[in-house]
């Protein structure tokens, strides 16, 4: 069977996804929160995109960046969850080799794009609070488009080598990926030969993105905090910093699981494999699910539009 699953180019025709090692018997139950989170992510982010699209008053830099974040979250969650749910519900473990590489590319690329978009939103808040008189002249639509294209270009440039690097390996350690999706290092573990470059490249890219983006986000908020503290009245300080609360929430939702997962890999190496995989899934699901909730609850303009949308539906229904 293994021989039939290997092509002349030495890579498998298909891989088999194990799911969550040690918890396969609980896949049906685990699928319930996963499916609920994915449903909330899709509904929430689609609602954000719809509201921002139809309301011309929301065609401002802050909301255009939010629309980009919502689109990224949709792709990020949809790159893994449908296949994961098929695995949990129907035991559909097979994934084509090239589909696996494509899933990996989308997954890691859009995670990098999300980090870039959070950095862009920090820049937006910096300009709005530190240079309010120049906000509209600095953050023009052409610049916003360039920022979006730069985020895409950086992610694609950094992730394009991965599929090509993985295609050159012989996979003599089996075809079963000990994960719910095609995570880079889980696939590398099945390869024979010298995989050091893949290991180093993966770690270097992760460190480069997280450290660099997070550093600039922190610097932005240092300048923002300094500008807020210089405001005359407490009410003005509260109002100015209040515009950053949603963004801070989104930053915490994205980076906290990354940091926890990184610490877990180094501190709790002896932990059961399912612990690490559950954290990895949490990292993929949590930000897309909570970002629409954070912005819907904390941003008055979004909240008012959402309430207005549902109230109009109730009136029509009545």
């Amino acid at each position: 069977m293994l021989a039939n699953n290997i092509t002349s180019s030495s890579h498998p025709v298909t891989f088999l996804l194990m799911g969550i090692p040690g918890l396969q018997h609980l896949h049906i139950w685990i699928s319930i929160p996963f499916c609920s989170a994915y449903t909330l992510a899709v509904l929430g982010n689609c609602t954000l995109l719809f509201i921002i699209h139809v309301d011309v008053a929301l065609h401002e830099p802050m909301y255009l960046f939010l629309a980009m974040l919502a689109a990224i979250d949709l792709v990020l969650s949809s790159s893994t969850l449908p296949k994961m749910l098929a695995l949990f519900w129907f035991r559909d473990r097979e994934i084509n080799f090239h589909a696996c590489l494509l899933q990996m590319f989308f997954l890691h690329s859009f995670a990098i794009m999300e980090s870039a978009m959070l950095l862009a939103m920090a820049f937006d808040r910096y300009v709005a609070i530190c240079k309010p008189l120049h906000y509209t002249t600095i953050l023009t639509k052409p610049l916003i488009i360039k920022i979006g294209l730069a985020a895409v270009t950086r992610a694609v440039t950094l992730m394009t080598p991965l599929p090509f690097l993985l295609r050159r390996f012989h996979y003599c350690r089996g075809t079963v990926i000990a994960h719910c999706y095609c995570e880079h290092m889980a696939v590398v573990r099945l390869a024979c030969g010298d995989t050091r470059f893949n290991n180093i490249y993966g770690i270097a890219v992760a460190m480069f993105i997280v450290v660099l983006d997070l550093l600039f986000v922190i610097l932005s908020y240092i300048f923002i905090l300094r500008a807020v503290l210089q405001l005359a009245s407490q009410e003005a300080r509260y109002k100015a910093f209040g515009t950053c609360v949603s963004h801070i929430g989104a930053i915490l939702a994205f980076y906290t699981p990354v940091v926890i997962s990184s610490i877990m890999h180094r501190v709790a190496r002896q932990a059961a494999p399912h612990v690490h995989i559950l954290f990895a899934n949490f990292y993929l699901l949590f930000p897309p699910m909570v970002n629409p909730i954070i912005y819907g609850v904390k941003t008055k303009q979004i909240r008012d539009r959402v309430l207005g949308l549902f109230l109009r539906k109730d009136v029509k229904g009545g």
Side-chain angles (χ1 to χ4, degrees):
M1 182 176 176
L2 184 62
N4 293 333
N5 198 32
I6 304 293
T7 67
S8 58
S9 61
S10 81
H11 65 68
V13 175
T14 59
F15 282 122
L16 295 175
L17 295 168
M18 183 183 290
I20 303 176
L23 299 180
Q24 288 93 330
H25 61 292
L26 296 175
H27 275 175
I28 289 292
W29 295 105
I30 293 170
S31 72
I32 296 172
F34 278 45
C35 182
S36 301
Y38 181 55
T39 303
L40 284 173
V42 171
L43 290 176
N45 287 294
C46 285
T47 302
L48 275 181
L49 285 169
F50 175 75
I51 288 170
I52 294 169
H53 175 70
V54 299
D55 196 332
V56 180
L58 297 180
H59 291 184
E60 297 177 1
M62 174 182 172
Y63 301 107
L64 294 176
F65 285 132
L66 178 57
M68 292 182 197
L69 184 69
I72 289 166
D73 278 339
L74 277 173
V75 179
L76 183 62
S77 55
S78 297
S79 65
T80 55
L81 260 296
K83 178 61 183 176
M84 202 184 300
L85 292 174
L87 167 65
F88 290 164
W89 291 340
F90 310 115
R91 298 182 181 178
D92 182 12
R93 300 174 61 201
E94 281 195 2
I95 183 167
N96 180 272
F97 177 80
H98 295 100
C100 181
L101 297 186
L102 190 64
Q103 184 190 62
M104 184 191 306
F105 175 79
F106 272 89
L107 165 66
H108 294 303
S109 294
F110 278 84
I112 292 172
M113 287 181 213
E114 175 139 0
S115 182
M117 204 46 54
L118 291 172
L119 175 57
M121 293 169 85
F123 176 65
D124 168 76
R125 291 299 84 206
Y126 163 76
V127 176
I129 292 172
C130 299
K131 300 180 185 292
L133 298 178
H134 304 287
Y135 183 70
T136 54
T137 56
I138 294 174
L139 280 169
T140 59
K141 283 192 178 179
L143 179 61
I144 292 168
I145 292 169
K146 287 177 183 176
I147 290 171
L149 289 174
V152 173
T153 303
R154 183 182 73 158
V156 170
T157 302
L158 288 172
M159 286 298 106
T160 296
L162 282 188
F164 294 100
L165 288 169
L166 290 169
R167 278 175 60 87
R168 67 190 175 91
F169 287 124
H170 293 267
Y171 291 87
C172 59
R173 294 177 181 168
T175 58
V176 179
I177 299 173
H179 217 296
C180 301
Y181 53 84
C182 291
E183 193 267 336
H184 175 231
M185 291 311 301
V187 176
V188 169
R189 289 188 190 101
L190 301 179
C192 299
D194 189 355
T195 61
R196 283 178 296 178
F197 182 78
N198 285 69
N199 296 336
I200 293 167
Y201 186 78
I203 294 168
V205 169
M207 292 300 294
F208 171 75
I209 296 302
V210 173
V211 172
L212 192 68
D213 288 0
L214 198 52
L215 176 64
F216 281 115
V217 167
I218 291 168
L219 282 174
S220 296
Y221 272 97
I222 289 171
F223 288 121
I224 288 168
L225 188 60
R226 189 175 69 177
V228 168
L229 292 175
Q230 288 174 352
L231 294 173
S233 67
Q234 186 175 346
E235 185 181 349
R237 289 196 292 268
Y238 178 78
K239 186 177 180 181
F241 202 72
T243 63
C244 301
V245 170
S246 298
H247 181 243
I248 292 170
I251 290 168
L252 291 173
F254 181 77
Y255 285 110
T256 302
V258 173
V259 173
I260 291 173
S261 181
S262 178
I263 292 169
M264 285 286 295
H265 274 289
R266 284 154 183 77
V267 176
R269 289 184 179 180
Q270 302 304 316
H274 67 260
V275 175
H276 297 292
I277 290 173
L278 286 171
F279 265 109
N281 289 324
F282 181 74
Y283 159 70
L284 284 180
L285 275 171
F286 190 64
M289 179 185 70
V290 300
N291 283 342
I293 297 170
I294 291 168
Y295 279 93
V297 171
K298 297 302 295 182
T299 308
K300 186 179 185 298
Q301 292 87 337
I302 297 289
R303 186 171 66 247
D304 291 346
R305 267 64 169 192
V306 171
L307 290 172
L309 184 68
F310 285 104
L311 286 173
R312 279 199 299 273
K313 284 184 177 181
D314 288 342
V315 170
K316 286 179 183 179

